[in-house]
Amino acid sequence: MIFLNAVLSQQHAPEKLPAAVRTALGKQLRRAATLTQLALVGALACLPKERRHLPTALLWQSTSGPRLETLTLLEEVCHGSAEPMPYDFLASQPAIAAAQIQPFLPGLQSATHFPLDSEGEANWSLLLTLASNWLNEGRYAQVLCAHLDSWANSANAHWLALSSTALENAQANLHIRTMNYSDALPDTPDFPAALAHWLKQPSGRPLHLQSSTTLRLAVEFAQI
Amino acid sequence: MTRPVYIAGSGLLCARGDSPAKVSQALWAGESTSRKRQLGEREFPYFSLPLSEADWLTRAELAVTRVAAQLGPLATETPLFLASSSFQIGHFEEQGAPFELPIATASFSRRIAEWMQLSGPRYSFSNACISGFSAIDAARSLIAAGQIDAAIVVGIELANRSTLAGFAAMELLSRTHCQPFDAKRDGLVLGEAVAAVHLSANPATWRITGLRTGLDAYSTTGPDPQGGPIAKVAVDCIKEAKINPADIELVKLQAAGSPGTDLAEANALRQIFGNTLPPLLSLKPYLGHTLGASGIAELATLLACLTLDQIPATAGFKKVDPEIALFPMVDRSNAHIQRALLNLIGFGGGLASMIIERRT
C-alpha cells in the first residue's frame, strides 16, 4: 500500500525566495536557479530530517520551466557580443537542480523533470502512478512529486510526499486504478490544493484524479 | 502485475542516415565524418542531420515525420513519451527578439504529437543527456504494471546556438573530433538526432531487462572521477535484470571524449566488472553527442547493429590513456550478442543504465 505523508502548497515572491532558502538551510545556496531554490525549500519542508537519508526519488513537473533563465540565455546568444555566461546556461538546464539539492537531501537517488506542454494541465496522475509502481517494487523508500513554476512575479510549488510505509502523519493511502471515473478531479497543477481541501473534510468516499488524456488510468485516494 | 517489456520497433534520423538499418550499415563501413558549425570566431565539428531545409520548424517537422514513418502504422491513442534537452529553442533563436516563449515550456511536444498523428497522452522529459532513458523508464514502468500496453518514446535534439554556445562557454567541446577513452581526447562533439522506439508488452526480439537512473552530485558539470555513483547505477541495473556482470557481453559506453567523464566511466567499469571487462563500444564518434536524444538514438543504432551481428569499431580511438587504461573495440565484430549494457552519464549529474536482452 502507498501512503500520502505530506501535502504542501507554497507561494513565494521571487525576491523573497533566497531568504526562504536561508531559513531552510541556515545558509545561502549560491548560483542556484529559482526552480532549484523552490525545489529545495519544498523538499525539505516535506521530509523531516530523519527521513532525508532514505532512498528517495524526486519527480517534478513544471509549466514555466526555467523561463526567465532561458530568456536571459537567448538574449546573450542572439544579441550578446560574446558567448553566454556559463552560469546563465547552467541555470537554463533544469536537470542540474538535483545535483544542487542532493547535498541537503542525501537520500536523493534519482530526479526526473517533466516539462509540461499545456497551460493549466499537469501530469500528477503520471507522477503518482510512477511513484506507486516504484514504491511497490521497493526501488525507493519515498517519492516526492512536485509541480514547480517560476514566473516573473511569483514562484509557486505544490508537493505530495509518498512512501510505502505509513508515517504518524499519513493522511491517505492511494491506489492506481485502470478504469474511468466520471467524478474524477482533473489533472491540474494545483491538484494538491484540492486534495488538501478534501483531506480536511471527513469523507467516507474516495477521491479520484484522472487526466483527460489518460484513458482508463486513475489515482484513487482514501482517507486514513 | 509485472510483465516483460519489449522493443517492438525503432526509427532514427541522424548524421549517419535516415533509418536504423542505414545507420548501422554506415557504422559498419566506418563512416564517421562530421561537418562544422561556426560560433563567433570559433568553429566546432558538428554532426548535422542530412536535411537541407533552412527553416527550423519545417526541418523539425520533416525530421519527425520521417522517423514516424519508420515505425509503421500506430494506434493514434498510443501514449507518447518525449525526451529532449533543448526542445524548440532553435525556433526561438530564429524568430529573434522579442522572444515569444509559450506559457507551457514543452509546448513543442504538442506539435510533435500532431506531426506523428498521435492523439493520446503526451509526457515530456528533460533530464539533459539521460532524458531518453528517463522517458523509457517511465513508459516501461507503466507497461510492466499493465497500466498501458504500448508506448512510443521519442528523443529529439535539433541544431541550436544556445546549446552549442553554452557548451563552448564551459570549454567542453572538442575542436577536432570525438576520441572516446583516447589519450588525446579533448572534449565532446555535439550532434542532432530524432529517434524513436516502440515499446510493447507483446513479445519481440529485444527485451529491456533492467533500467535504473541515478544521480551524481559531485558537480553540476561532471561526475565523480572515481566513478562510484556511475558504478552503483549500473550494478543496480544488473541486479534488476537478475544477472551477473559476467553475463554482459557488450557495453555501449557514454564515452563522448570528455576528459573527466570518460575517466569516471572507466573507473566505474572496473568497479563493476573487475579485470574481466566485456567489449566496450562508443557510438558518439559516429553520431555525435545528441544530448536529450542520445539515449534513444544510440539504443536504436545499437539494436540495428546487434540484430545484424555487425558491431562497429569505436572510431576516433588511437592511443590508450594510461590513466584510463581501457580499450574500446578497435576492430569491428560479428559477435552474436545476447545481452548488452548501455550507459548514459548526463550533464548535471543524471545517470542511467539499461540492459537489453535478445529473446531466444
Side-chain angles (χ1 to χ4, degrees):
Chain A
M1 188 170 292
I2 306 304
F3 296 92
L4 176 68
N5 293 321
V7 183
L8 182 70
S9 293
Q10 297 177 321
Q11 188 165 17
H12 302 272
E15 68 276 11
K16 293 187 176 169
L17 192 53
V21 172
R22 244 190 340 266
T23 303
L25 300 182
K27 61 175 182 177
Q28 276 192 320
L29 188 62
R30 294 181 65 241
R31 298 187 187 279
T34 304
L35 286 174
T36 306
Q37 296 179 53
L38 204 51
L40 186 57
V41 169
L44 295 186
C46 282
L47 294 179
K49 270 187 183 169
E50 65 273 15
R51 292 189 64 84
R52 291 177 190 167
H53 68 285
L54 297 175
T56 304
L58 169 61
L59 307 176
W60 65 283
Q61 56 192 328
S62 178
T63 306
S64 71
R67 181 182 183 84
L68 304 177
E69 292 85 352
T70 303
L71 285 168
T72 301
L73 179 67
L74 281 166
E75 280 292 340
E76 288 180 345
V77 168
C78 297
H79 301 133
S81 55
E83 285 167 6
M85 295 297 289
Y87 276 97
D88 286 335
F89 176 65
L90 286 171
S92 72
Q93 304 296 308
I96 72 166
Q100 292 177 294
I101 293 169
Q102 201 201 39
F104 308 99
L105 199 62
L108 185 61
Q109 292 190 346
S110 179
T112 306
H113 170 230
F114 304 75
L116 297 168
D117 67 21
S118 299
E119 187 182 0
E121 295 179 11
N123 282 341
W124 285 108
S125 50
L126 173 70
L127 271 53
L128 294 169
T129 302
L130 293 174
S132 175
N133 291 351
W134 292 344
L135 288 168
N136 280 327
E137 290 169 17
R139 190 159 156 179
Y140 306 106
Q142 54 199 1
V143 179
L144 296 174
C145 300
H147 181 280
L148 310 178
D149 272 343
S150 162
W151 306 106
N153 300 318
S154 66
N156 311 317
H158 297 283
W159 291 84
L160 300 176
L162 312 178
S163 74
S164 50
T165 52
L167 304 187
E168 273 182 25
N169 57 344
Q171 300 167 72
N173 56 48
L174 61 93
H175 298 272
I176 307 304
R177 303 291 188 205
T178 49
M179 59 185 292
N180 291 325
Y181 293 89
S182 57
D183 61 345
L185 288 183
D187 202 335
T188 55
D190 61 354
F191 165 72
L195 180 62
H197 178 72
W198 172 76
L199 285 167
K200 283 178 189 163
Q201 300 172 330
S203 167
R205 297 185 60 192
L207 176 83
H208 294 103
L209 165 70
Q210 192 154 35
S211 161
S212 59
T213 60
T214 310
L215 303 173
R216 297 180 299 281
L217 189 58
V219 186
E220 181 179 282
F221 294 85
Q223 291 182 12
I224 295 175
Chain B
M1 176 181 187
T2 182
R3 55 183 177 172
V5 177
Y6 299 90
I7 304 169
S10 64
L12 176 61
L13 176 65
C14 66
R16 295 275 75 83
D18 60 1
S19 75
K22 286 182 189 169
V23 171
S24 72
Q25 286 164 17
L27 268 59
W28 186 247
E31 294 172 18
S32 62
T33 54
S34 59
R35 297 181 191 176
K36 298 280 184 190
R37 267 181 78 90
Q38 198 78 27
L39 186 70
E41 303 284 303
R42 298 202 276 173
E43 196 176 62
F44 296 94
Y46 191 85
F47 289 89
S48 303
L49 293 183
L51 298 175
S52 56
E53 284 67 19
D55 172 70
W56 197 94
L57 274 183
T58 305
R59 196 166 176 268
E61 180 176 3
L62 188 62
V64 169
T65 51
R66 278 202 193 174
V67 170
Q70 297 168 40
L71 296 171
L74 298 170
T76 56
E77 67 274 16
T78 309
L80 175 62
F81 294 72
L82 217 142
S84 181
S85 64
S86 60
F87 289 90
Q88 75 276 44
I89 199 164
H91 172 61
F92 302 139
E93 292 169 1
E94 190 177 82
Q95 296 286 295
F99 300 106
E100 293 181 358
L101 269 57
I103 296 294
T105 182
S107 66
F108 186 47
S109 298
R110 293 205 309 265
R111 209 183 283 248
I112 292 171
E114 286 168 16
W115 291 338
M116 298 186 76
Q117 298 179 1
L118 293 174
S119 57
R122 299 176 305 273
Y123 306 114
S124 302
F125 298 75
S126 189
N127 261 12
C129 318
I130 71 160
S131 302
F133 281 10
S134 292
I136 291 178
D137 194 15
R140 174 182 178 239
S141 178
L142 299 190
I143 295 171
Q147 292 148 347
I148 59 175
D149 293 321
I152 300 299
V153 189
V154 171
I156 181 164
E157 206 70 47
L158 296 173
N160 66 83
R161 275 188 288 157
S162 299
T163 306
L164 186 71
F167 276 84
M170 288 188 290
E171 302 290 341
L172 294 173
L173 299 180
S174 171
R175 301 291 290 274
T176 56
H177 57 285
C178 176
Q179 303 169 87
F181 280 16
D182 190 271
K184 291 187 177 174
R185 69 190 184 282
D186 61 354
L188 55 90
V189 177
L190 295 174
E192 307 177 270
V194 180
V197 288
H198 181 188
L199 302 186
S200 172
N202 294 327
T205 304
W206 291 97
R207 179 184 163 197
I208 300 171
T209 56
L211 204 170
R212 283 291 182 267
T213 60
L215 182 60
D216 183 342
Y218 181 82
S219 154
T220 52
T221 54
D224 179 347
Q226 300 304 315
I230 302 169
K232 181 185 180 307
V233 171
V235 167
D236 286 349
C237 184
I238 288 167
K239 282 181 186 165
E240 194 220 335
K242 295 185 174 64
I243 57 172
N244 296 309
D247 297 320
I248 299 291
E249 298 168 333
L250 177 76
V251 178
K252 191 292 297 171
L253 302 165
Q254 162 69 21
S258 304
T261 306
D262 282 18
L263 176 62
E265 186 174 24
N267 286 334
L269 290 169
R270 267 188 287 272
Q271 291 171 48
I272 302 161
F273 295 104
N275 292 325
T276 313
L277 273 79
L280 310 174
L281 170 67
S282 173
L283 296 171
K284 289 184 174 68
Y286 297 104
L287 313 184
H289 190 347
T290 59
L291 303 177
S294 64
I296 318 275
E298 295 183 9
L299 173 63
T301 301
L302 186 69
L303 287 171
C305 295
L306 297 185
T307 299
L308 293 170
D309 294 338
Q310 293 185 337
I311 307 164
T314 297
F317 178 83
K318 287 182 183 160
K319 188 180 176 191
V320 69
D321 176 348
E323 206 175 4
I324 283 185
L326 291 178
F327 296 79
M329 292 173 64
V330 291
D331 295 313
R332 58 188 199 173
S333 160
N334 289 114
H336 184 72
I337 300 295
Q338 199 66 29
R339 207 174 285 110
L341 171 73
L342 296 90
N343 275 348
L344 295 179
I345 301 169
F347 184 72
L351 306 171
S353 290
M354 182 195 296
I355 293 170
I356 53 169
E357 186 171 310
R358 195 190 297 256
R359 187 161 158 258
T360 51

